[in-house]
Amino acid sequence: MLLFVNSVKTIKFSEISDGELVEMYSVQMNLKKEDEKDRLKFYEKIEQNSCLLRENKTLDCLIPDEINYLADINDSLGERNKWLIVRRLGFSLSTSCPQSIQDAYQNGYLGLLPRGGVAVPIQSLTTNTMTRGRVFCFLPLPLETGLPIHVNGHFALEHEARRNLWTDVENDYRSAWNNHLINDIIAPSYALALLKMRDTLDLQTGRPDEKKSAQQEAKFIS
């Protein structure tokens, strides 16, 4: 729940029992000081770009940015997990944005900010169960990704329940927005997360026989 929300690091659920407030559950996110500073700077850029978007009504005015950091999330039930979080702001300058999205911005029909990211489980200190990836629009939606990661995006949601992605109308600017968000922000975030996870876990990327071949070559030369 805390993975993609802004500025919130602790959530508590309480109930009133016999006239007293009794805490039932709490969850907290802890970051390193450097990561916390970078995250605050990223939020400032979100605010700046949001103002630019309202003033200019065009995506061309936005300045793309991204951030990645490790987060420790612990709850009152003893659950302890470490996550690698990647967040991106703004569409890539090298890809063209669908015309339907650009028109929707200029006409004032669309005001969502192009941002999203992924959260990859690095380590669970209490369980060995695989993460069932969920879709977030800052808070979790009742949708699974089919991947062992959570994905987040400023998606266009259906009007009624606001619990599902907008998919009703073919070639609609809201459907185009969701697809472009997935392809141009979430997919690159996932790719970066895999690279960062490789470095964090110090994984070997060479083929299994490469090391053996190198050793044999060194032995032959000597």
Side-chain angles (χ1 to χ4, degrees):
M1 187 176 295
L2 289 172
L3 292 171
F4 302 111
V5 293
N6 296 335
S7 304
V8 178
K9 297 177 63 178
T10 302
I11 295 178
K12 295 182 179 181
F13 296 92
S14 303
E15 68 176 14
I16 298 177
S17 177
D18 296 329
E20 295 184 358
L21 191 64
V22 180
E23 181 179 308
M24 304 301 296
Y25 175 79
S26 65
V27 59
Q28 182 176 8
M29 178 170 62
N30 298 307
L31 304 175
K32 293 181 179 179
K33 290 184 178 180
E34 296 80 5
D35 289 337
E36 180 64 31
K37 291 180 180 179
D38 291 341
R39 197 172 76 136
L40 291 175
K41 291 179 181 178
F42 185 74
Y43 291 154
E44 291 176 357
K45 293 179 181 178
I46 289 177
E47 291 297 328
Q48 294 171 0
N49 279 273
S50 181
C51 292
L52 288 173
L53 191 59
R54 287 195 298 268
E55 293 173 0
N56 298 278
K57 294 185 178 181
T58 174
L59 293 169
D60 296 335
C61 68
L62 301 184
I63 305 172
D65 197 10
E66 68 179 13
I67 185 177
N68 66 86
Y69 52 90
L70 294 176
D72 292 316
I73 297 185
N74 311 317
D75 69 11
S76 56
L77 300 178
E79 187 77 15
R80 300 168 59 196
N81 297 283
K82 184 183 291 290
W83 295 83
L84 170 62
I85 300 175
V86 177
R87 307 179 75 167
R88 290 173 65 92
L89 170 66
F91 292 128
S92 172
L93 299 177
S94 61
T95 59
S96 59
C97 185
Q99 188 62 44
S100 61
I101 294 178
Q102 299 182 41
D103 293 342
Y105 266 106
Q106 293 174 359
N107 294 325
Y109 300 145
L110 186 61
L112 303 178
L113 196 62
R115 55 174 169 152
V118 301
V120 182
I122 294 294
Q123 183 181 22
S124 174
L125 302 179
T126 53
T127 64
N128 293 320
T129 58
M130 181 176 292
T131 298
R132 299 180 64 178
R134 296 279 297 276
V135 178
F136 285 63
C137 186
F138 308 110
L139 292 175
L141 299 173
L143 301 171
E144 294 188 357
T145 65
L147 299 170
I149 64 167
H150 298 316
V151 304
N152 175 63
H154 200 174
F155 293 110
L157 303 179
E158 63 179 12
H159 285 310
E160 298 298 330
R162 307 287 295 175
R163 291 170 57 84
N164 293 304
L165 303 187
W166 180 276
T167 56
D168 290 345
V169 182
E170 187 176 358
N171 297 324
D172 181 80
Y173 67 86
R174 285 158 290 197
S175 297
W177 170 266
N178 287 342
N179 290 332
H180 199 52
L181 203 65
I182 292 171
N183 293 329
D184 202 64
I185 290 185
I186 294 176
S189 296
Y190 191 15
L192 177 60
L194 293 177
L195 293 176
K196 291 295 181 180
M197 186 169 63
R198 178 198 65 186
D199 297 338
T200 300
L201 300 179
D202 194 24
L203 299 177
Q204 299 295 326
T205 58
R207 295 179 180 177
D209 59 335
E210 286 182 352
K211 185 176 181 181
K212 183 177 180 181
S213 299
Q215 291 175 342
Q216 291 176 342
E217 183 178 355
K219 183 177 180 181
F220 176 78
I221 294 175
S222 62

